[in-house]
Amino acid sequence: MRRRSPSFARTLRSHWRLALRCTLVSVVVLLALIGNVVFYASVGGWLRFASILWLYGTLFWLSLHIYLASRLVVHVAEPSLLNLYKRAAFIALSHAGLL
């Protein structure tokens, strides 16, 4: 079994409320994005193509979370919810060609 770094455990203890809020925001937004993909995919006509845009939005939202955890643990001294998502979005956009 792999041991976690002491900084991870210490940061999790000090920022657990923020981590819980990030989890709630992530789940709510992901469910809304998936709901939009399903809705627009089931609509007939040219609106069906809107589901592709929502699918790209969902992929971006999921890729953002790769960088969100590292922002929470290591790099930001006093993180806020909006600041964490903003920084993670900028990093995900800078790596957009890797999607």
Side-chain angles (χ1 to χ4, degrees), residues 22 25 60-61 64-65 67-68 71 76 79-94:
C22 286
V25 167
F60 172 72
W61 183 252
L64 181 134
H65 289 84
Y67 307 106
L68 186 66
R71 301 296 85 150
V76 182
S80 69
L81 187 69
L82 183 61
N83 191 14
L84 287 172
Y85 276 102
K86 181 176 68 173
R87 290 175 186 245
F90 286 146
I91 294 171
L93 286 173
S94 70

Side-chain angles (χ1 to χ4, degrees), residues 3 5 12 16-17 30 46 48 55-56 69 72 84 88 92 94:
R3 294 185 65 196
S5 67
L12 185 60
W16 70 270
R17 286 185 182 99
L30 182 63
W46 62 272
R48 180 172 282 182
L55 185 61
Y56 277 122
L72 182 61
L84 287 172
S94 70

Side-chain angles (χ1 to χ4, degrees), residues 16-77:
W16 70 270
R17 286 185 182 99
L18 180 61
L20 183 63
R21 284 188 295 171
C22 286
T23 302
L24 291 175
V25 167
S26 297
V27 168
V28 167
V29 172
L30 182 63
L31 290 175
L33 287 168
I34 290 173
N36 281 326
V37 169
V38 170
F39 173 75
Y40 283 107
S42 66
V43 172
W46 62 272
L47 276 176
R48 180 172 282 182
F49 293 111
S51 67
I52 296 170
L53 297 175
W54 285 109
L55 185 61
Y56 277 122
T58 304
L59 289 175
F60 172 72
W61 183 252
L62 291 173
S63 70
L64 181 134
H65 289 84
I66 296 169
Y67 307 106
L68 186 66
S70 64
R71 301 296 85 150
L72 182 61
V73 173
V74 178
H75 296 286
V76 182

